[in-house]
Amino acid sequence: MHGRWFFYTPAALPFGMAKLAPHTNAYESIGSWLPGGYDDRHLSIEGFGHFHEFQIGGVVVMPTVGELKTIPGTLENPDEGYRSRFDKKDEHSEPGYYSVFLNDYRIKAELTATDRVGFHRYTFPESKESLLIFDIGHKQGESSDVIEAFAQLVNGNEIEGYVETYPEYAKFCDPENYVKMYFVAHLSKEPSSVGTFVDDEIQPNASTTKGVRNGIFVAFETTENEVVEMQVGLSYTSIKNARLNLEAEATGKSFDQVHEAAIQRWNEMLGRIQVEDDNVENKTKFYTGLYHALLGRGIGSDVNGQYKLNGEGIGQIPLDENGKPRYNHINTDGMWGAFWNLSQLWAMVYPEYFTQYLQSNIDFYKETGWLHDGAAAGVFTNGVQTNFQGLLIASAYNCGFRDFDWEAGYKAAVKNELEYRGRNLGNGKYDLNYFVKNGYVPYQDTIISNGWVFNFGASHTLEYAFSSYAVAQMAKQLGNESDYKKLMEQAGYWKNIFDPETKFIRPKLPNGEFIEDFDPMKAWDGFQEGNAYQFTWFVPHDIAGLIEKMGKDLFHERLENTFKESRKSLFGGGREIHSFSGVEMLYNHGNQPCLHQPWLFNYSGKPWLTQKWTRTICNEFYGTEPLHGYGFGQDEDQGQLGAWYVMAALGLFDVQGHASAEPTFQFGSPMFEKVTIQLSKKPDHCLTIETKNNSQKNYYVQRLKFNGKTIENSWLEREKLMHGGKLVFEVDSIPNKNWGVKVPPPPMSD
């Protein structure tokens, strides 16, 4: 496991706020987007953290015995600090629970959680110097700089406080706006002494600490195998609400009861898709991917529905007739590429979560006037700048969802695509004025406050065209003809940077001329996290138009060569362990811009190659070993690569990300003998997918039936599938080149 900060958080519930995890390399991290927190190659633990979200981290606790140390030490020399070595055989992780034996202290540590409360259970040895060390004043994972940290011992056996941080992305997206995390920790044993520290300077008998690089510790005497438990209520709004969350979710509940409840919650959520197959490895990949799709974003609101606003003050979610919040507010990374995995999966299986995710952002729009594409406890933390939230709102409407404020959502989405005044790095699309006025975003540098240089005009042009198409489809359904016409005009702007000479998308200078010395394999040059070869395929709303521009023969030649060659490098950066490995390759499955490409053969008349390459990617890019779960680069952005595997294994995918007014699913090659998908709370509302004659070598579709009716095309309207029923695929080892070729999936022109 060498992944993003928010992904190895075993003691957590689906979409929970409390995400408890062991740390091996989180202390004093640089706080950006780099992998961190836990690395399977490391053999010592520096503490157990509570907050793990995009650009959010903090409140780390470490149990020890013996001499007090207040810095964790290093991986190279754990004895320098309070780190403890551990053996992999003594470590256990499952959804909702984690345990490990800390060898240096002979302490067994166990973690579990409710939505907003972290539960700790420590089994100590006999010792006159048992300790719990709370590190609050240092950088942790993606938190970046600590502005102020406060903690104090109260009521004899409780520690309360807060940590205020300044995330790296906030520094240019939302300057001088900070993330604040509050906590109240209730101990089952009253400590015999308390002290505070700043780095390695200790203040014994002090019960309050405030500042930076600081922390607090409590000590007590323990007998052999004595259990000390701790429940930690969390909040982004106040200590008062952290205590309220603690009381609401922990009162009268034992550690074992909470652990059992976590098992039940995860089983219910994961169990909405039931896989029947003998291939244990593929099922492991599938449910790991599904687990990630349910873990990567966490609630930010309290049990009373309060949440941190972007500005001063606290927001309030409307309450139902029982006084309960109608939905939760959500912390989130951007949704770059999520329309090819997360949102399709959520819309199909977890619609109640999808619409509350959207409603959270609509509430943010009502407060600030803008949708965000990345928010950390109310702070703009847009990591990619393209802001696809309008597309997601439109896709939900296109799928028939009405249980959110779609009227305000429509206004927000249209503004997101058309309004260029007031744009900045926080609300994204900072260069939209060029796109709207000139029909493309030019090739030129943008330098931001921390020294990063952006030059993504070509990829932004493509992305803005795609999101314009999505919102246009919503406008059409609502009868807003003027919005529809303008947005559809923008949807065609991708053609303005298609070079008829090279047949590539090619960056254009501000004067309207294509750049010279053009190398389609050069990464980061006009294209974000990719190159022209990869991004030329990024016209998901108008693949028919791209085929026409490129020519079908060249389209096939390039696309087929892409996958033949990319297989040699495991469809990405080979075995290089780096989040951006593969950005300079023909294809990079480890990053979002490429994820629709193996499905394009359905549009070009060779659906058997979609069947071949999606299966092959599932088999070879994805693994079950710690360092080969999602390739080796493993930029598993909040569950997106895991969700892609889930959709590919089901044999269902929409290249358009449900952006069409009448969304479709295109078919691949399902991996399992039988899958049953629960489509709603009604027990009999299911979609069953059966794959006959299935094996590792048999993946080419020969015939397909839906509810007994033969399906000749490689796609079907989403609405029909969502009524439920049975899809039956018959597969074999030889392609059926007559199936699925009659009518391609509907392009933009339809």
Side-chain angles (χ1 to χ4, degrees):
M1 182 70 185
H2 174 76
R4 292 293 292 276
W5 160 246
F6 31 72
F7 258 122
Y8 191 70
T9 55
L13 295 183
F15 312 125
M17 177 189 294
K19 293 182 176 178
L20 277 63
H23 294 174
T24 65
N25 63 344
Y27 184 85
E28 289 294 88
S29 168
I30 66 171
S32 186
W33 46 265
L34 295 172
Y38 181 91
D39 191 314
D40 187 72
R41 296 168 294 179
H42 298 162
L43 295 174
S44 66
I45 286 172
E46 63 188 22
F48 303 102
H50 290 80
F51 289 94
H52 294 84
E53 298 288 356
F54 177 67
Q55 300 293 287
I56 297 176
V59 187
V60 177
V61 178
M62 183 65 177
T64 70
V65 297
E67 178 190 359
L68 171 66
K69 298 177 182 179
T70 55
I71 57 173
T74 64
L75 286 162
E76 295 74 22
N77 186 5
D79 295 325
E80 289 178 342
Y82 56 69
R83 278 180 179 273
S84 176
R85 299 167 182 85
F86 70 101
D87 294 324
K88 290 292 181 182
K89 64 179 177 60
D90 296 324
E91 186 182 37
H92 175 79
S93 179
E94 66 183 51
Y97 174 82
Y98 175 84
S99 68
V100 69
F101 188 77
L102 302 173
N103 289 343
D104 291 352
Y105 304 119
R106 297 188 296 121
I107 296 172
K108 182 180 181 180
E110 298 174 272
L111 309 172
T112 188
T114 61
D115 283 320
R116 300 170 181 86
V117 180
F119 285 70
H120 304 240
R121 183 163 66 187
Y122 300 122
T123 304
F124 281 90
E126 181 180 359
S127 174
K128 296 184 182 300
E129 298 175 302
S130 292
L131 296 153
L132 287 176
I133 301 166
F134 289 73
D135 190 301
I136 57 174
H138 293 90
K139 297 179 185 179
Q140 298 288 350
E142 291 193 7
S143 76
S144 194
D145 303 320
V146 176
I147 303 301
E148 185 175 79
F150 166 77
Q152 64 180 356
L153 180 68
V154 297
N155 303 326
N157 65 336
E158 292 184 338
I159 295 173
E160 63 182 21
Y162 61 79
V163 181
E164 190 170 22
T165 64
Y166 196 13
E168 287 301 307
Y169 282 58
K171 291 173 184 176
F172 58 84
C173 288
D174 206 348
E176 307 305 317
N177 204 355
Y178 307 134
V179 166
K180 208 163 185 178
M181 298 159 274
Y182 300 87
F183 67 96
V184 175
H186 178 86
L187 306 177
S188 64
K189 183 181 180 76
E190 188 163 321
S192 57
S193 65
V194 61
T196 64
F197 61 90
V198 175
D199 290 330
D200 58 359
E201 295 182 8
I202 299 170
Q203 295 83 40
N205 302 317
S207 60
T208 300
T209 179
K210 189 174 185 179
V212 296
R213 308 187 67 84
N214 56 328
I216 191 170
F217 62 90
V218 291
F220 32 76
E221 185 175 333
T222 55
T223 58
E224 184 68 21
N225 293 324
E226 182 174 350
V227 173
V228 177
E229 296 193 15
M230 179 171 67
Q231 301 87 38
V232 186
L234 308 176
S235 173
Y236 294 106
T237 61
S238 65
I239 291 176
K240 178 182 177 182
N241 274 3
R243 187 174 296 280
L244 179 67
N245 293 338
L246 175 65
E247 292 170 351
E249 296 185 1
T251 301
K253 296 178 182 177
S254 70
F255 184 97
D256 289 333
Q257 287 173 327
V258 172
H259 178 199
E260 181 60 33
I263 293 173
Q264 293 176 6
R265 177 86 72 89
W266 277 109
N267 281 342
E268 187 278 320
M269 294 290 274
L270 295 170
R272 293 191 193 184
I273 306 180
Q274 296 281 345
V275 173
E276 299 175 44
D277 197 276
D278 292 331
N279 191 312
V280 174
E281 182 178 15
N282 286 345
K283 286 195 291 187
T284 299
K285 293 179 186 179
F286 182 89
Y287 281 110
T288 300
L290 187 58
Y291 167 72
H292 281 179
L294 300 174
L295 185 66
R297 288 155 168 80
I299 57 177
S301 50
D302 299 317
V303 291
N304 59 6
Q306 293 185 345
Y307 63 96
K308 179 67 179 69
L309 294 172
N310 175 256
E312 294 295 324
I314 304 300
Q316 176 65 58
I317 295 168
L319 305 179
D320 63 17
E321 59 277 6
N322 298 314
K324 302 292 185 182
R326 294 187 179 276
Y327 52 89
N328 290 312
H329 202 73
I330 310 295
N331 279 315
T332 176
D333 190 359
M335 292 291 270
W336 200 49
F339 36 77
W340 287 326
N341 34 62
L342 283 177
S343 63
Q344 292 186 41
L345 176 61
W346 291 347
M348 179 168 61
V349 189
Y350 309 99
E352 77 282 8
Y353 176 72
F354 185 34
T355 53
Q356 70 173 316
Y357 170 86
L358 297 175
Q359 186 62 54
S360 293
N361 207 335
I362 292 167
D363 289 346
F364 195 96
Y365 158 78
K366 290 177 180 178
E367 180 203 352
T368 67
W370 296 101
L371 294 170
H372 69 72
D373 194 28
V379 179
F380 279 108
T381 49
N382 187 349
V384 184
Q385 305 305 321
T386 47
N387 200 334
F388 275 107
Q389 296 293 334
L391 183 150
L392 295 182
I393 290 169
S395 75
Y397 188 88
N398 296 338
C399 289
F401 297 121
R402 300 294 183 268
D403 58 337
F404 67 105
D405 189 354
W406 54 264
E407 286 137 319
Y410 173 73
K411 293 177 182 177
V414 170
K415 183 177 182 181
N416 200 40
E417 305 306 320
L418 298 181
E419 182 58 80
Y420 49 82
R421 292 165 297 187
R423 300 313 291 238
N424 56 44
L425 295 167
N427 53 50
K429 296 182 186 281
Y430 61 88
D431 46 11
L432 185 66
N433 63 311
Y434 298 107
F435 180 77
V436 174
K437 293 177 180 178
N438 303 330
Y440 73 100
V441 181
Y443 177 88
Q444 59 187 6
D445 286 349
T446 297
I447 303 175
I448 66 174
S449 58
N450 65 356
W452 290 358
V453 179
F454 296 161
N455 192 334
F456 304 145
S459 58
H460 283 183
T461 300
L462 299 172
E463 291 169 312
Y464 300 168
F466 180 32
S467 57
S468 293
Y469 168 78
V471 182
Q473 299 297 290
M474 187 176 180
K476 182 180 181 180
Q477 294 182 79
L478 293 173
N480 291 312
E481 190 66 22
S482 61
D483 287 347
Y484 172 73
K485 287 182 177 179
K486 174 57 179 170
L487 289 164
M488 286 299 287
E489 178 187 347
Q490 292 184 178
Y493 284 173
W494 68 270
K495 299 175 184 177
N496 294 338
I497 58 169
F498 183 88
D499 177 17
E501 180 181 344
T502 63
K503 306 291 186 181
F504 281 105
I505 294 294
R506 183 172 179 175
K508 266 187 178 179
L509 297 166
N511 65 8
E513 296 179 3
F514 287 116
I515 63 169
E516 297 182 0
D517 301 321
F518 172 59
D519 178 2
M521 294 297 291
K522 186 176 181 181
W524 300 97
D525 196 34
F527 302 92
Q528 183 156 16
E529 300 181 30
N531 56 34
Y533 206 105
Q534 295 174 8
F535 266 98
T536 293
W537 308 110
F538 198 105
V539 192
H541 56 298
D542 195 12
I543 300 302
L546 181 62
I547 292 172
E548 181 182 354
K549 286 281 188 183
M550 192 181 292
K552 183 170 281 191
D553 290 343
L554 181 60
F555 184 95
H556 280 142
E557 179 186 328
R558 281 188 187 166
L559 196 59
E560 291 175 40
N561 183 63
T562 290
F563 291 99
K564 288 177 183 176
E565 289 299 314
S566 297
R567 189 176 189 180
K568 299 173 185 176
S569 61
L570 291 175
F571 302 101
R575 294 180 178 272
E576 179 187 1
I577 300 175
H578 190 278
S579 295
F580 286 137
S581 62
V583 297
E584 73 290 341
M585 309 294 278
L586 291 174
Y587 176 81
N588 182 18
H589 195 79
N591 214 339
Q592 290 86 319
C594 294
L595 294 180
H596 66 304
Q597 292 174 25
W599 301 86
L600 297 184
F601 295 106
N602 282 331
Y603 286 79
S604 64
K606 294 188 176 183
W608 60 90
L609 292 179
T610 283
Q611 297 151 30
K612 173 182 178 177
W613 290 118
T614 55
R615 271 281 191 118
T616 306
I617 290 168
C618 285
N619 289 336
E620 298 177 12
F621 177 85
Y622 293 85
T624 56
E625 305 82 24
L627 281 177
H628 181 199
Y630 298 84
F632 287 86
Q634 295 195 36
D635 193 11
E636 165 60 323
D637 266 350
Q638 300 205 332
Q640 300 204 59
L641 294 179
W644 190 97
Y645 183 95
V646 169
M647 298 305 296
L650 297 176
L652 302 175
F653 192 85
D654 183 13
V655 165
Q656 293 190 339
H658 299 342
S660 170
E662 296 180 0
T664 65
F665 274 121
Q666 299 93 58
F667 298 119
S669 178
M671 297 194 70
F672 301 113
E673 293 179 6
K674 184 179 180 181
V675 177
T676 303
I677 306 169
Q678 190 72 37
L679 299 176
S680 71
K681 293 182 179 180
K682 298 176 182 177
D684 58 347
H685 186 202
C686 298
L687 175 65
T688 300
I689 303 172
E690 293 185 6
T691 311
K692 296 185 175 181
N693 198 35
N694 183 40
S695 72
Q696 288 291 92
K697 295 182 179 180
N698 295 353
Y699 48 74
Y700 291 113
V701 177
Q702 307 298 304
R703 284 167 291 279
L704 174 62
K705 289 187 177 181
F706 179 53
N707 292 338
K709 182 180 178 181
T710 297
I711 303 298
E712 297 289 352
N713 296 325
S714 62
W715 59 277
L716 190 66
E717 293 87 349
R718 178 187 184 276
E719 183 181 13
K720 292 180 180 178
L721 284 177
M722 292 304 294
H723 284 305
K726 182 184 289 188
L727 275 171
V728 180
F729 290 80
E730 293 182 35
V731 296
D732 211 329
S733 60
I734 301 172
N736 178 358
K737 297 185 179 181
N738 295 315
W739 181 83
V741 298
K742 290 184 179 179
V743 181
M748 182 173 77
S749 56
D750 292 351

